[in-house]
Structures are given as C-alpha cells and as structure tokens.
Amino acid sequence: MKKVLLCIFGLLTISNTQAQGRDIVYDEISNIIVAESKPKIFTLAANYVFGTKQIQGIYTIDKHFFGFATYNYNRTTIEYTPLLGSRITEENNNNGYSFGGGYQNFGHVGKYKNLEVLTGFETQNAAVISYFTSHKDSPDRGDEYLEEKYYKIFTQFNMMKCRTNFDSGFSLKLSYFKFLKNPTYNGATNFFITPSYSFNYKLLKSKSLLLTSQIGLSFALHNFENSYQGDNFSFSQSDYVLGGILKFGIQYKFNFNKK
C-alpha cells in the first residue's frame, strides 16, 4: 500500500508540472461530492487544490435533486527547470467557475448506498507570464506571455459511503473540452476523464463541520494537435495534458429545514 501511495504522489507531481506548460495551462478543480440526502441543506466549502483556491456551494432541493456552483482562482508564482534549459519563473493569474445540478439516492453499489449523478458547465481563463529566473531584473529577460480560455461540459458519477463520523467514496467525471482561445490550439477539442477518491471527516456534535480531502488524476483521451503549412515552411506540434487533484478543504452545512 505504501508503494502505491508513493506512485500516486509521483504521478501527481509530474502531472502538475506538465499541466503548467508554455503552450497549455490546465487547472483541474476537484470533483463535486454531495453526500447529503437531507433536503434544504446548503453546503459552503473552501478548498485548496495545488495552487488553486476554490469556493463551492451545494444546495439539496429535496431528497434527490441538488444544484451546485464553484468559483476558483490561482494567483501563484512557481519556478521549474526543464530537462534541458535554464530555470524558468512562471506567474499565473487564472480564474474560472462552474455550475450545474444532479440527482442522488437512486440505488446502491455494494456498500456504497449514496449514488450521485450530476452534469455541469465549467469555463476557465488563464494569463501566464514565463521568463528566465536568472534574468528576473533584466529588461530583456525573455518574457513569454500566454493567454487562453476554455470550457468543459461534464457528466460525473459518484458512489459514496456515508457514516456518522465520515464520508468516503469514488467519483468518475467525463468532460468535453474546447479551447475558445489559445495561441497554438485555438478551437481544439478533446475529452478528459477524471477519476478520484474522497474522504470527509465530520466534526462537532451536529456533524455540520467537515474536513475534506480528495486525490485524483485528470487526463486527455488524445494529444492536442496543430499543424500549419506556409509558403516555404511547415509547422506541427503535439501536446498531451495530464492534471492532478490533491485537495484539502473545509465545509459547513447550513440547515434550512423548518423546525
């Protein structure tokens, strides 16, 4: 088990580096987990996923139907060294939001008695400045500026075990992805698959305060491809995107049921 966890952590570390490339910026937000069957419960959550901060709200309309909305932003500066090259500083200014709804409590899979299915829409904006770290204070530091926008339409399936002191379970999200703006892959489309495992620990006597966590991967089903034919030259490029989820958060459940 220890070796498995080390392999997963290694994949997440590699994937986060690859997701923050010079041609594609991809911030994967955490999968939506409801795990609340009582009606008229509003759950407010604050999450941290790598450098991305996320505010999330979920409202259970009745025993089965619910709605959700999220806002996420990333204001970070990171440094990395390519396999061949000088150390690079990258300043991120990314933000986005998602919303949607779903249906829960419609069956069970073994001991997982809280099944949830949801669908939603997500859009993200990114502005990234990259430059050579050693030339940070130089007027000619080799700046590269990337601005992009993309959206996703997604469907997700969750199966959860809800206990008195904790919730745990698995989720699988399938997303249709399209670039609305990208200097290399403008208009390109893809499909992403995002499996994850979540564990929430309940605090207080009312169990309304929770510490939450999630681990997962998000990967494209195929490479992003681009080619251009000029009068005297040809250009082609291919990039694969792999993103990681390592979320820690806190959430509180507000009960709006009439006493």
Side-chain angles (χ1 to χ4, degrees):
M1 183 64 182
K2 185 177 180 180
K3 292 182 178 180
V4 173
L5 291 175
L6 288 173
C7 289
I8 292 174
F9 180 78
L11 283 172
L12 289 174
T13 303
I14 294 171
S15 66
N16 190 45
T17 301
Q18 291 178 332
Q20 302 288 340
R22 290 194 175 189
D23 300 305
I24 295 177
V25 174
Y26 178 65
D27 281 344
E28 179 58 61
I29 64 173
S30 58
N31 285 353
I32 306 294
I33 301 296
V34 182
E36 178 57 70
S37 59
K38 295 179 182 178
K40 298 182 181 180
I41 301 294
F42 176 69
T43 301
L44 181 63
N47 305 320
Y48 181 84
V49 188
F50 287 120
T52 300
K53 293 84 174 177
Q54 177 183 337
I55 303 297
Q56 182 182 92
I58 302 172
Y59 183 72
T60 54
I61 301 169
D62 56 24
K63 181 180 178 180
H64 295 292
F65 292 96
F66 60 87
F68 64 87
T70 66
Y71 173 75
N72 62 276
Y73 64 96
N74 183 342
R75 309 282 191 276
T76 57
T77 299
I78 62 174
E79 293 185 2
Y80 65 94
T81 303
L83 293 178
L84 297 174
S86 302
R87 192 164 184 79
I88 292 174
T89 296
E90 191 170 86
E91 298 178 1
N92 297 274
N93 185 6
N94 312 335
N95 66 85
Y97 63 87
S98 67
F99 61 88
Y103 188 83
Q104 64 173 334
N105 297 320
F106 55 88
H108 67 90
V109 177
K111 296 181 180 180
Y112 296 90
K113 297 184 179 180
N114 287 66
L115 302 187
E116 305 166 358
V117 62
L118 55 93
T119 185
F121 174 85
E122 176 189 340
T123 182
Q124 299 286 340
N125 297 275
V128 179
I129 301 175
S130 299
Y131 52 86
F132 293 111
T133 305
S134 59
H135 295 74
K136 181 177 181 180
D137 299 322
S138 171
D140 184 19
R141 58 183 189 176
D143 283 14
E144 289 191 12
Y145 183 76
L146 170 63
E147 185 176 3
E148 71 172 29
K149 182 177 182 179
Y150 63 82
Y151 75 82
K152 292 195 290 186
I153 300 173
F154 59 89
T155 298
Q156 183 181 317
F157 173 75
N158 305 330
M159 55 183 194
M160 302 294 296
K161 287 191 294 187
C162 297
R163 300 290 188 261
T164 302
N165 295 320
F166 69 90
D167 304 321
S168 65
F170 299 90
S171 66
L172 181 66
K173 180 167 66 178
L174 175 64
S175 306
Y176 170 78
F177 178 106
K178 183 174 182 179
F179 275 120
L180 296 176
K181 179 189 294 185
N182 182 282
T184 305
Y185 300 107
N186 190 40
T189 62
N190 212 323
F191 286 92
F192 279 76
I193 293 180
T194 309
S196 68
Y197 172 78
S198 300
F199 182 86
N200 303 332
Y201 183 74
K202 302 176 182 178
L203 303 172
L204 305 181
K205 184 177 180 179
S206 62
K207 308 304 180 185
S208 56
L209 182 66
L210 290 81
L211 299 178
T212 65
S213 62
Q214 186 176 110
I215 186 171
L217 291 174
S218 182
F219 53 91
L221 291 187
H222 57 81
N223 288 6
F224 286 92
E225 305 281 354
N226 180 56
S227 61
Y228 178 78
Q229 295 289 336
D231 294 335
N232 301 311
F233 68 93
S234 63
F235 169 83
S236 63
Q237 186 168 346
S238 177
D239 281 297
Y240 183 73
V241 175
L242 175 65
I245 299 174
L246 185 58
K247 183 201 85 171
F248 298 98
I250 187 169
Q251 64 179 220
Y252 189 85
K253 297 178 181 291
F254 298 88
N255 191 337
F256 290 97
N257 289 289
K258 294 181 179 180
K259 303 298 182 181

